[in-house]
Amino acid sequence: MVYSLTYRRPAHVASSNSSISEKTQSIHGSLESGNSGMSHGIPDALSFDKIIAGGTCPPCTTRDFMNYLVYIERAAENLQFFLWYRDYCKRFDATPEGERVLAKEWTAAMAEAAAQTAQTLATGQAQISTEAAAVLKGTDFAGANKDPFKTPPASAREDATLSDGRSGMTTDVSTLGPSEKTYHSNKAANAFEGADLKWQPFTIQPFREEISRIITTYLVEGAPRELNISARERVAVLHALENTTHPSAFRAIAATVEWSLRYQAHPNFIRWTICNGNRPRVIFARGLGVAGIVGGFLAAILLTLSGAGRGWRALAVIGWMIGVATLIAAWKGMCVVLHGMHHRHLRPWELFAEDDDATADPEMKKASFDTLGSSNSYEDQPWVARYEKRNLLRKVFDREVWIQEPALRQIQDTIFLQAVGGALVISAVCAGVFVALPKGGFF
């Protein structure tokens, strides 16, 4: 079974400057319609939600998506934050009601009022609107006669004690040592001070320690997994997190991150996954395609100049068919030989996985799925140097593995049929031209 012969693989999607409201509307629209992406060429079986839910097979699993973001797009922090945020929402909803009420929802009205207050203070005005004051009542932004963003003395922070007694903390946060907790608290405090906000590192709100580490991992400028968000979005989320640990505090940046994953990273991942060969193999296939086309033309020219009958010139169709089909498929990143077996090349980081698994630290192998981990840099990983030393011929004929995902095989079957159809049309035209020419009779 194949898709329509008019099928086109997803186009490469560059970054977008759409507003937060536009991104949120796009996400809600795609969820309601069941369509996970703006780009054409992505079947429902390979939708963003299917991949995240674990409903796909290699090489289109969540692990493969994460590897693509780490090694190819270098933007794995978006997926890592998205997975953490989705899990955090579930854990927050599962906390006892008595703890949840301590962290009030951060509404859009409160966000707008906080932004207005910050702007008013920045311009040196002492009063804020009545509506804004009503919305901010009970928060650290309430009151126009004092500076709500003034940082309290260091002694006030140092003398405070943690007395929340909360449960449901993630394993990584609950096992932090005292020194590491202090480090993340201080880093978070610096982030709030940089945004002219007051920081209270010890609070009875649930998951405050975890939020502190999220700030130091994803939100602080220069963080190991700093999200690609605007300064305005960063300040807005810090405004919210100063007052609450409710998941709604992340609403703005969560929409930005999810939009980037759905409408940029996901289509680019599917486009990249369609390629069944590595770059040396694809270049080699293009060379073979050009050689086949040139061979077909040489055969047709020689037969035309000879005294052989016109029917013999049709033999050049063999070279044209093979060459054009191979070239069209290779232009879309596919090797027809690998496709004939429904195989793909192993990725460079997969080639040495078995050897690395025997020596690597088990914690290192799951680092990309550790949402509170360190940087996503991979330049120091063992496979990088080993792959660079691999000779070119060996890269062309690297190890292969069967493609398990049926939807991906259907896409590749469709592209192969398109390549064969294009080759048939071009070969027929070329053969008609040469057959129509009179014979030269030179030999």
Side-chain angles (χ1 to χ4, degrees):
M1 180 180 176
V2 297
Y3 298 107
S4 171
L5 293 180
T6 60
Y7 169 85
R8 297 185 63 182
R9 61 177 178 160
H12 183 268
V13 182
S15 58
S16 172
N17 295 322
S18 301
S19 65
I20 296 176
S21 59
E22 292 175 346
K23 293 177 179 179
T24 303
Q25 291 175 2
S26 297
I27 293 171
H28 291 332
S30 65
L31 291 174
E32 292 174 359
S33 63
N35 181 16
S36 70
M38 295 168 60
S39 298
H40 298 288
I42 303 178
D44 292 339
L46 296 178
S47 67
F48 175 80
D49 296 305
K50 275 285 184 68
I51 293 175
I52 296 300
T56 52
C57 301
C60 300
T61 62
T62 309
R63 166 68 67 180
D64 296 308
F65 191 20
M66 181 70 77
N67 287 337
Y68 167 78
L69 293 173
V70 171
Y71 300 118
I72 305 300
E73 196 161 294
R74 300 195 177 198
E77 61 275 1
N78 287 331
L79 182 57
Q80 290 160 343
F81 177 83
F82 174 80
L83 294 175
W84 169 83
Y85 179 69
R86 189 179 62 165
D87 178 67
Y88 180 70
C89 292
K90 295 178 181 178
R91 289 187 286 113
F92 187 90
D93 292 339
T95 56
E97 179 66 23
E99 296 184 19
R100 287 205 309 273
V101 296
L102 299 175
K104 296 182 179 180
E105 181 180 0
W106 188 253
T107 64
M110 295 172 69
E112 293 176 2
Q116 179 187 347
T117 304
Q119 184 177 4
T120 301
L121 291 173
T123 56
Q125 297 177 4
Q127 299 296 328
I128 61 175
S129 67
T130 305
E131 294 79 3
V135 172
L136 294 173
K137 184 178 181 181
T139 72
D140 290 335
F141 295 98
N145 296 323
K146 62 178 181 178
D147 186 352
F149 304 120
K150 182 178 179 182
T151 304
S155 60
R157 298 195 301 269
E158 294 170 353
D159 295 340
T161 56
L162 178 65
S163 60
D164 55 350
R166 60 186 172 277
S167 61
M169 188 72 69
T170 59
T171 304
D172 290 336
V173 176
S174 63
T175 56
L176 291 178
S179 61
E180 192 170 359
K181 291 179 181 179
T182 302
Y183 167 79
H184 289 293
S185 297
N186 292 337
K187 288 281 289 183
N190 292 335
F192 279 83
E193 291 173 0
D196 295 328
L197 300 176
K198 176 174 60 178
W199 171 234
Q200 298 175 346
F202 302 105
T203 174
I204 60 175
Q205 290 176 337
F207 304 113
R208 176 54 77 177
E209 286 183 10
E210 183 175 352
I211 294 300
S212 175
R213 194 168 183 191
I214 288 297
I215 292 172
T216 61
T217 304
Y218 294 96
L219 300 180
V220 176
E221 292 188 21
R225 296 180 179 180
E226 182 182 358
L227 294 174
N228 185 21
I229 56 178
S230 66
R232 182 178 180 181
E233 289 174 315
R234 179 180 288 106
V235 171
V237 72
L238 290 176
H239 272 280
L241 292 175
E242 186 193 24
N243 289 276
T244 182
T245 57
H246 193 279
S248 59
F250 293 98
R251 183 183 291 112
I253 62 172
T256 298
V257 168
E258 184 173 355
W259 192 97
S260 177
L261 288 171
R262 284 183 179 274
Y263 299 117
Q264 181 181 356
H266 175 241
N268 291 343
F269 169 65
I270 299 300
R271 177 186 175 90
W272 175 79
T273 306
I274 291 173
C275 304
N276 60 4
N278 56 27
R279 182 170 178 78
R281 180 60 169 261
V282 171
I283 294 176
F284 179 73
R286 291 176 181 176
L288 289 180
V290 172
I293 296 172
V294 172
F297 275 108
L298 288 177
I301 292 172
L302 291 175
L303 289 171
T304 301
L305 296 177
S306 70
R310 296 187 177 187
W312 290 100
R313 303 173 198 173
L315 292 176
V317 170
I318 298 176
W320 291 327
M321 278 288 298
I322 296 175
V324 174
T326 301
L327 188 60
I328 293 176
W331 193 260
K332 297 185 178 182
M334 283 180 50
C335 172
V336 293
V337 177
L338 291 175
H339 173 70
M341 301 177 288
H342 278 141
H343 282 190
R344 68 172 179 89
H345 270 156
L346 288 174
R347 312 300 182 188
W349 52 88
E350 296 174 325
L351 283 170
F352 310 102
E354 295 179 1
D355 298 336
D356 293 342
D357 285 350
T359 58
D361 184 351
E363 295 298 323
M364 292 288 291
K365 295 186 289 184
K366 63 178 183 178
S368 59
F369 277 90
D370 181 6
T371 55
L372 296 175
S374 58
S375 172
N376 293 314
S377 175
Y378 65 87
E379 287 77 7
D380 295 333
Q381 294 184 9
W383 68 264
V384 176
R386 296 178 64 181
Y387 189 75
E388 288 179 353
K389 295 178 181 178
R390 209 174 183 85
N391 63 67
L392 183 61
L393 186 61
R394 194 172 182 185
K395 289 180 180 179
V396 172
F397 298 100
D398 251 333
R399 284 191 293 167
E400 308 165 7
V401 66
W402 185 60
I403 297 174
Q404 301 180 36
E405 176 54 49
L408 182 60
R409 295 200 302 267
Q410 291 179 16
I411 291 177
Q412 293 175 338
D413 289 342
T414 304
I415 293 176
F416 175 74
L417 288 182
Q418 290 173 339
V420 172
L424 181 61
V425 172
I426 294 175
S427 300
V429 172
C430 292
V433 172
F434 277 95
V435 170
L437 294 174
K439 61 182 179 181
F442 293 99
F443 53 88

